Amino acid sequence: MMVDWSEETLHDDLRIKIRIDRLLFDSKTEHQRLMLFESGTFGRVLTLDGVVQTTESDEFIYHEMMAHLPILAHGNAKRVLIIGGGDGGMAEEVLKHTAVESVTMVEIDAGVVEFSKKYLPAICKGAFDDPRLSLVIADGARFAAETDERFDVAIIDSTDPIGPAEVLFTDAFYGSVKRCLSEGGLVATQNGVPFLQSDELTSTLAAFRKLFRDATCYLATVPTYVGGPMAFGWGTDDETLRQLSEAKLAERFKASGIETRYYTPAVHRAAFALPPYIEDMIP
Ligand code: SAM
């Protein structure tokens, strides 16, 4: 019996194959090729232009670390901006924070949202029906440059800097994000796997160092983002947000009442401990 494989071609000298047990969807949207399949270990897997975006099995690691860490660090996040995040997994984690009053999600591809609502309920759950969520189908860079709204936390849950997301890794975009943060606001970015995508991290943090008083990254390993720990860019003018004690974080985490499978206050603090090979990538 012929076995099908989904081959990821993101890296020049590394090919990753995931077995396709059942192909559920494979077609082009207005912006990208969208494929969904089931695969033993990973459950349902979403790829865009052949690159793994999210899987039912390990999405919790990425979404918990990009949602709970910045929100609990901020401590008083009422208005949250998500750029990208079409699968709904990020919004789902952010909306667990009952103190969050509004979430604005700006996704360029309506096809990804419609599709995720239908095929990825285990990831987005009821997020798209939450009255606090405002979904804007638009280019995130344009939205950030033009909006009058201000946000306490901005989460950039984008694809890699190829195609529609290229603009989300530019200095101009980061300047716009800074502009739409409220005082003491915080931005966290998906910044690739440094061992294989060091340029992404270096260029983002070069921009952040010019824009923010506190600019660095934190780490978490997501099994289907191959190549070691993934980096999340961190930028804020409030230098105290990264100095919070584990006890303070634990107090906030307990008060949130949120249950997690990856995030803890100790994991939060440890995520900022960078090995020298990554520290050396930060300009
Ligand atoms: N976790 C994934 C990763 O790390 O690669 C990202 C997941 S999420 C599905 C990425 C989303 O970013 C996609 O739905 C894509 O359509 C969206 N996106 C890409 N470029 C965008 C842009 N310029 N503005 C808004 N959304 C964009």
Side-chain angles (χ1 to χ4, degrees):
M1 189 186 75
M2 253 289 286
V3 176
D4 275 336
W5 296 84
S6 165
E7 183 169 3
E8 185 175 273
T9 56
L10 182 61
H11 309 295
D12 295 342
D13 45 14
L14 178 71
R15 291 268 179 276
I16 300 145
K17 285 187 171 185
I18 301 183
R19 193 185 65 220
I20 299 176
D21 294 335
R22 192 157 78 100
L23 179 63
L24 296 167
F25 190 90
D26 184 3
S27 180
K28 277 195 68 66
T29 72
E30 197 190 329
H31 298 276
Q32 47 215 336
R33 177 184 171 198
L34 199 159
M35 192 160 84
L36 182 100
F37 56 90
E38 283 171 354
S39 184
T41 306
F42 305 105
R44 290 191 170 185
V45 178
L46 168 67
T47 69
L48 291 173
D49 291 338
V51 179
V52 174
Q53 296 302 305
T54 193
T55 83
E56 287 177 330
S57 67
D58 63 3
E59 59 87 16
F60 68 96
I61 302 169
Y62 174 85
H63 289 133
E64 288 183 12
M65 289 301 276
M66 276 202 88
H68 305 317
L69 191 145
I71 290 175
L72 292 170
H74 184 283
N76 188 27
K78 298 265 182 290
R79 304 171 58 79
V80 176
L81 172 67
I82 298 172
I83 293 196
D87 54 72
M90 194 65 70
E92 196 265 333
E93 292 296 341
V94 170
L95 289 161
K96 286 180 181 172
H97 293 266
T98 50
V100 168
E101 294 167 0
S102 79
V103 178
T104 303
M105 178 174 149
V106 184
E107 164 58 56
I108 199 167
D109 194 333
V112 177
V113 174
E114 287 322 305
F115 174 84
S116 299
K117 281 183 189 171
K118 187 167 175 208
Y119 289 102
L120 295 174
I123 294 180
C124 57
K125 304 189 176 85
F128 290 111
D129 305 322
D130 190 306
R132 292 171 293 162
L133 181 71
S134 311
L135 175 62
V136 181
I137 300 298
D139 170 25
R142 186 147 184 199
F143 177 88
E146 295 174 356
T147 184
D148 298 329
E149 295 179 64
R150 294 294 174 266
F151 302 94
D152 305 312
V153 170
I155 300 170
I156 316 304
D157 177 16
S158 75
T159 39
D160 293 281
I162 308 163
E166 214 170 329
V167 67
L168 302 181
F169 290 80
T170 60
D171 291 17
F173 170 65
Y174 294 135
S176 300
V177 170
K178 163 120 196 207
R179 186 191 70 86
C180 61
L181 284 178
S182 58
E183 193 169 339
L186 165 59
V187 57
T189 55
Q190 180 281 92
N191 251 112
V193 173
F195 191 83
L196 297 168
Q197 301 165 297
S198 58
D199 298 350
E200 254 183 63
L201 183 63
T202 301
S203 63
T204 295
L205 292 187
F208 278 18
R209 287 261 147 118
K210 292 185 214 128
L211 287 167
F212 297 105
R213 277 204 285 276
D214 188 29
T216 186
C217 68
Y218 61 96
L219 308 175
T221 302
V222 182
T224 52
Y225 300 156
V226 172
M230 173 173 238
F232 304 101
W234 163 281
T236 180
D237 281 343
D238 184 344
E239 289 140 312
T240 68
L241 300 186
R242 209 158 43 93
Q243 310 309 327
L244 297 169
S245 68
E246 192 176 318
K248 186 70 193 166
L249 291 168
E251 187 191 303
R252 289 181 182 175
F253 183 48
K254 189 158 182 282
S256 77
I258 294 171
E259 287 183 16
T260 53
R261 295 174 58 208
Y262 189 87
Y263 177 90
T264 70
V267 166
H268 178 142
R269 303 253 311 163
F272 288 96
L274 305 178
Y277 87 92
I278 294 182
E279 194 73 72
D280 294 346
M281 294 174 189
I282 303 178

